[in-house]
Amino acid sequence: MDSTSTPSSARTYPYMSRNEIESRIASGQKIVIFSQHVLKVDPWLPYHPGGEKALLHMVGKDATDEIQALHSKDAQERMLRYRIGKIDGFWTNFRPPIQGGAFRPTLNNGHFDHEEPVHQKVPASIIPNSGTLSPVFDNDNEIWRRRRHDKDSPSRTASISSKSSVETDTTGLSYLDALTREQISLDLDKYPDVDLATQHKIAAKYRGLHKRIVDEGLYECSQAAYVVECCRYLALFAAMLISLSHEYYVLGAVCLGLAWHQLVFLAHDAGHMGITHDYQIDTAIGILVADFIGGLSLGWWKRNHNVHHIVTNAPEHDPDIEHVPLFAVTHRLLGSLRSTYYDRVMEYDAVAEFMLKIQAWTYYPLLALGRFNLYRLSWDYLIARRGPRRGPGAWHWYLEIAGQLFFWAWFGYGILCKTLPDGWTRLMFIMVSHITSSPLHVQIVLSHFAMSTSDLGPQESFAQRMLRTTMDIDCPPWLDFIHGGLQFQAIHHLFPRMPRHNLRRAQSLVVEFCREVGIPYALYGFSDGNKAVLGRLAEVSRQAAILAKCQETIARNGGVFGHHD
């Protein structure tokens, strides 16, 4: 970042071997591959507006697609300042250290101190119940059947069917391991092979699709669409104020909740730089909407959401599916996993065991209260100063603090204290306004909770991973404003910075891409999508009950588990 340093364009960068890069990572350096360049991003970690953990999940990997999807051209140019070398040819991804990857350091003589790499156990989890999946291309099932026959090789089978002996199991976790292997096998059958050549072909076609989308102007924001959006926001706020002035407090609370629901879509656009594509301007817009009007921290959301976009539906890493003890969407969370995002163990304890038994019934009631949890997460982020304290995003913390004070001044004091007549009315207003906005929480989790949570390895391409872990929701165009772009989550995950008003136009291009590369495009109706989520929750509850029986059997057998009841 030193302005006196030699311009990067005037430098020459040496080709670096895989062994050299591995050794650097083993020594603690944060090395990322971007457009055939080797980046040492250690100096950028404290500056990264999206948080350091989004970067840590890219260490040792070719992050070209992720970087181009999530960052502006200006940000990509600034990243090139951290170049230290180049690579030649295709890059074979390492598993990042934060995900359990192991790397060999070199000795003074330049040789590795191990003849073979030290491998960590690959994390893995499950995919959706095959009975609830509904890919839009039902007539393509023959393609998957033919591909299964092609892929049933001895080496492939051996890789997914390691010995499942339960003779010495003292916890019942061998049952979870068996589920893991089964669900990985189902995923490997359904999706293209995760070998290097296949995934590079998919990545190349994805980049061609990206270029086509750029050429067709789908990154250009529709100003007219946002004029309509702003009119809707103003109308809802005006309706709230008019209702309060006539003492229609319930109606006023409903109008405020609807306004919050709609405004979150605008904050989401701004957080992804999908409005002006300027980092500072869009962030300021997002803070104005999220903090000043909604009382929620945009900085917290970006830190959380960027990790979600990098490691979507990974039980150990994606905070958007880490809701134990309230919910679990994969049996792997029954094993007390450690969250790399929250840096704590998600204990499967007595409380979790009880709550997960009834999670299909508590799902909607708890989501109705989701906004209160967002306040907690926002305050934790701001009070602990978890955002960047230096660099281009440092000043956002001060603006967010001002926004929080402003929100509680107009909402907490102006409406709750000064406008509403008594404590009961205040409680009613809070609950009705917050519950009215709660369909947003259903919309947010709907596209992921019923989808794959398997880890197919570090070679899986960005495009395949996004399509495997995300579904789209089918709705008529006149309902788009209710869904706010969240109905096209799969398309959004492929192109996060695309303005949401263009997502529907991009759908046909994504469908064509999916057909070409052989990746199922999951498209559900809203009700069917909800049924799939409830089915997933019920399935994990059933698996938890079976695990409990396994553990009871172990206890009766004196700590040795030889069969399942």
Side-chain angles (χ1 to χ4, degrees):
M1 300 286 293
D2 185 358
S3 60
T4 63
S5 62
T6 305
S8 59
S9 59
R11 298 178 183 174
T12 58
Y13 297 93
Y15 284 97
M16 300 178 67
S17 70
R18 180 176 176 80
N19 289 348
E20 182 181 356
I21 292 173
E22 180 180 4
S23 177
R24 284 177 175 268
I25 297 174
S27 69
Q29 296 182 24
K30 309 301 184 290
I31 304 295
V32 175
I33 309 301
F34 173 51
S35 293
Q36 298 297 106
H37 291 283
V38 180
L39 310 184
K40 180 176 178 292
V41 299
D42 303 63
W44 181 240
L45 284 177
Y47 296 93
H48 189 227
E52 74 286 351
K53 291 191 176 179
L55 275 175
L56 293 178
H57 282 291
M58 291 291 96
V59 171
K61 299 182 67 176
D62 185 341
T64 300
D65 290 338
E66 288 87 345
I67 289 173
Q68 291 180 342
L70 290 163
H71 296 83
S72 66
K73 288 291 185 183
D74 178 65
Q76 293 175 39
E77 288 295 326
R78 282 189 282 115
M79 288 181 193
L80 292 178
R81 299 179 184 182
Y82 300 100
R83 285 179 288 185
I84 60 172
K86 297 179 181 179
I87 62 168
D88 186 21
F90 291 153
W91 177 255
T92 302
N93 290 329
F94 290 111
R95 183 172 295 278
I98 193 174
Q99 297 179 15
F103 298 82
R104 299 173 297 175
T106 56
L107 300 176
N108 293 333
N109 59 9
H111 297 292
F112 286 116
D113 61 354
H114 295 283
E115 291 185 1
E116 297 293 337
V118 178
H119 294 289
Q120 299 268 340
K121 182 179 179 181
V122 176
S125 44
I126 68 170
I127 64 168
N129 185 310
S130 58
T132 63
L133 282 174
S134 57
V136 69
F137 303 134
D138 291 337
N139 59 347
D140 285 346
N141 286 340
E142 184 59 29
I143 296 175
W144 315 130
R145 283 195 290 270
R146 287 198 300 268
R147 183 172 287 110
R148 289 189 190 104
H149 290 303
D150 294 340
K151 294 194 290 191
D152 285 340
S153 65
S155 60
R156 172 186 168 80
T157 304
S159 69
I160 61 173
S161 59
S162 58
K163 185 177 180 181
S164 58
S165 173
V166 294
E167 299 303 325
T168 59
D169 181 25
T170 59
T171 63
L173 293 183
S174 61
Y175 166 67
L176 303 183
D177 290 340
L179 286 177
T180 297
R181 288 190 296 272
E182 176 187 357
Q183 298 299 342
I184 290 178
S185 178
L186 290 173
D187 253 5
L188 291 172
D189 283 342
K190 188 175 186 62
Y191 293 91
D193 280 321
V194 290
D195 63 278
L196 189 62
T198 300
Q199 293 302 311
H200 270 291
K201 289 178 182 177
I202 293 173
K205 289 186 179 295
Y206 165 73
R207 291 166 194 171
L209 172 64
H210 194 186
K211 183 179 184 304
R212 184 176 175 186
I213 281 176
V214 172
D215 292 342
E216 294 194 14
L218 296 183
Y219 273 96
E220 297 175 8
C221 182
S222 172
Q223 296 181 359
Y226 277 111
V227 170
V228 174
E229 298 282 353
C230 290
C231 289
R232 187 182 299 120
Y233 309 147
L234 292 174
L236 288 170
F237 269 100
M240 176 196 67
L241 295 175
I242 293 171
S243 298
L244 292 180
S245 67
H246 289 82
E247 299 184 357
Y248 295 129
Y249 299 126
V250 174
L251 180 59
V254 169
C255 291
L256 178 58
L258 292 175
W260 280 338
H261 175 267
Q262 289 290 300
L263 281 165
V264 166
F265 303 142
L266 178 60
H268 181 260
D269 295 346
H272 278 295
M273 295 181 293
I275 301 176
T276 69
H277 301 303
D278 181 280
Y279 166 66
Q280 297 291 5
I281 295 175
D282 277 1
T283 300
I285 293 172
I287 291 175
L288 174 64
V289 173
D291 291 85
F292 283 76
I293 303 177
L296 305 177
S297 167
L298 185 78
W300 160 78
W301 176 84
K302 291 183 72 170
R303 183 175 186 265
N304 180 101
H305 199 65
N306 284 341
V307 173
H308 164 68
H309 269 266
I310 294 293
V311 285
T312 308
N313 266 24
E316 301 94 335
H317 314 302
D318 182 0
D320 277 13
I321 65 167
E322 295 178 343
H323 303 298
V324 174
L326 302 180
F327 305 121
V329 297
T330 167
H331 70 271
R332 296 207 62 242
L333 292 168
L334 307 180
S336 295
L337 294 181
R338 183 173 188 82
S339 167
T340 60
Y341 182 83
Y342 293 110
D343 196 24
R344 60 175 173 80
V345 175
M346 298 174 286
E347 294 284 357
Y348 181 59
D349 52 18
V351 175
E353 185 175 358
F354 172 76
M355 292 300 297
L356 298 189
K357 286 181 181 178
I358 57 174
Q359 64 176 347
W361 299 97
T362 60
Y363 174 66
Y364 291 114
L366 289 176
L367 286 185
L369 305 176
R371 192 175 186 89
F372 297 104
N373 186 50
L374 298 186
Y375 290 139
R376 178 187 68 84
L377 293 169
S378 296
W379 296 335
D380 172 77
Y381 171 85
L382 292 172
I383 292 172
R385 293 291 300 271
R386 301 190 190 280
R389 301 193 182 194
R390 294 178 288 174
W395 68 276
H396 298 156
W397 182 83
Y398 300 97
L399 185 60
E400 288 206 80
I401 292 296
Q404 292 292 316
L405 295 174
F406 181 86
F407 172 79
W408 290 107
W410 75 262
F411 176 70
Y413 181 75
I415 291 182
L416 296 182
C417 293
K418 300 298 292 183
T419 303
L420 302 180
D422 53 58
W424 175 251
T425 305
R426 294 183 184 108
L427 178 61
M428 175 278 302
F429 191 89
I430 291 172
M431 297 306 297
V432 171
S433 61
H434 285 58
I435 292 174
T436 299
S437 68
S438 67
L440 170 72
H441 307 296
V442 176
Q443 292 171 298
I444 289 172
V445 303
L446 177 59
S447 290
H448 298 294
F449 271 22
M451 294 301 289
S452 172
T453 56
S454 298
D455 180 353
L456 299 188
Q459 307 315 324
E460 186 177 27
S461 64
F462 171 74
Q464 178 167 312
R465 188 168 64 254
M466 295 303 103
L467 290 164
R468 182 172 59 81
T469 57
T470 313
M471 75 164 77
D472 279 350
I473 301 301
D474 193 20
C475 75
W478 64 272
L479 279 178
D480 282 353
F481 81 96
I482 293 179
H483 290 281
L486 298 182
Q487 76 275 36
F488 296 119
Q489 277 286 287
I491 302 170
H492 167 67
H493 269 251
L494 291 174
F495 309 105
R497 294 181 294 109
M498 184 189 298
R500 63 181 158 104
H501 303 101
N502 295 335
L503 292 172
R504 182 175 287 277
R505 292 172 55 195
Q507 186 178 33
S508 61
L509 301 180
V510 172
V511 167
E512 180 182 339
F513 166 78
C514 288
R515 288 187 181 277
E516 187 175 356
V517 299
I519 298 177
Y521 169 54
L523 182 67
Y524 289 70
F526 184 75
S527 60
D528 288 340
N530 276 273
K531 289 177 183 177
V533 170
L534 292 175
R536 167 57 63 81
L537 295 173
E539 175 68 11
V540 175
S541 295
R542 185 185 70 83
Q543 292 165 345
I546 294 174
L547 175 63
K549 289 184 178 179
C550 292
Q551 293 170 333
E552 291 175 5
T553 301
I554 292 171
R556 288 198 303 268
N557 293 344
V560 178
F561 182 49
H563 66 279
H564 294 167
D565 283 350

